[in-house]
């Protein structure tokens, strides 16, 4: 895709393609790194699901609500994550009738490596574009994205 001339607006269809291409470049680079560090089976959806589990664990229903999917869809994702060793199901200490999904050490490792990778990739963008442009891009995207589109508080899950 040719770049528009300086100051000339691009075609309307270019914006979503460029946003998606930026997202894909970040995710692909991160997943290449994760595979090299013992996490070859990770998919983007798994990272979102592991964040939805959180440090305290969650039921499949809670995970579904946090992800905006059905309990059944969340349950299928949990099964895959369990098969890869990222989560485990345990009895809920507060309600013996339900199971709680908890991160395993492998799941915590994958999320920690993801956070480090995202920070490193962002730093590369800062080196290439400059800190002010990256901050402005992030601020503009926050302004344009619906407030409830995604939970952006994953960092606090690792703060204890």
């Amino acid at each position: 895709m040719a770049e528009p001339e300086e100051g000339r607006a691009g075609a309307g269809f270019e914006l979503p393609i460029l946003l998606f291409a930026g997202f894909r470049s970040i995710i692909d680079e991160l997943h290449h790194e994760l595979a090299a560090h013992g996490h070859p089976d990770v998919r983007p959806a798994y990272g979102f699901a592991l964040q939805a589990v959180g440090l305290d664990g969650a039921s499949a229903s809670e995970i579904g609500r946090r992800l905006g999917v059905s309990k059944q869809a969340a349950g299928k994702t949990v099964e895959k994550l369990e098969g890869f060793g990222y989560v485990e199901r345990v009895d809920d200490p507060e309600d013996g009738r339900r199971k709680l999904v908890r991160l395993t050490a492998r799941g915590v490792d994958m999320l920690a490596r993801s956070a480090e990778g995202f920070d490193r990739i962002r730093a590369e963008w800062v080196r290439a574009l400059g800190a002010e442009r990256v901050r402005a891009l992030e601020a503009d995207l926050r302004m344009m994205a619906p407030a409830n589109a995604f939970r952006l508080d994953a960092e606090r899950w690792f703060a204890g």
Side-chain angles (χ1 to χ4, degrees), residues 46 49-64 66-67 71 74-83 85-93 95 98-104 107:
Y46 299 168
L50 291 175
Q51 290 176 2
V53 171
L55 284 181
D56 295 329
S59 69
S61 295
E62 290 168 326
I63 295 167
R66 292 174 183 174
L67 294 174
K71 177 183 175 181
K76 287 181 182 183
T77 300
V78 166
E79 284 178 27
K80 287 183 181 184
L81 293 172
E82 192 173 29
Y86 293 112
V87 299
E88 63 185 353
R89 295 179 209 227
V90 297
D91 291 331
D92 185 335
D95 184 349
R98 72 178 196 160
K99 292 286 187 182
L100 193 62
V101 179
R102 288 193 320 199
L103 298 173
T104 62

Side-chain angles (χ1 to χ4, degrees), residues 23-24 27-28 30-31 41-50 110:
F23 172 79
R24 270 308 292 262
I27 295 301
D28 289 350
L30 177 71
H31 284 250
D41 300 311
V42 174
R43 302 290 174 262
Y46 299 168
F48 289 117
L50 291 175
M110 194 282 291

Side-chain angles (χ1 to χ4, degrees), residues 116-137:
E116 291 167 3
F118 282 131
D119 287 345
R120 187 193 52 70
I121 293 167
R122 185 185 185 281
E124 287 176 9
W125 282 47
V126 166
R127 278 191 292 281
L129 301 173
E132 186 54 39
R133 285 182 69 190
V134 172
R135 278 194 299 271
L137 174 63

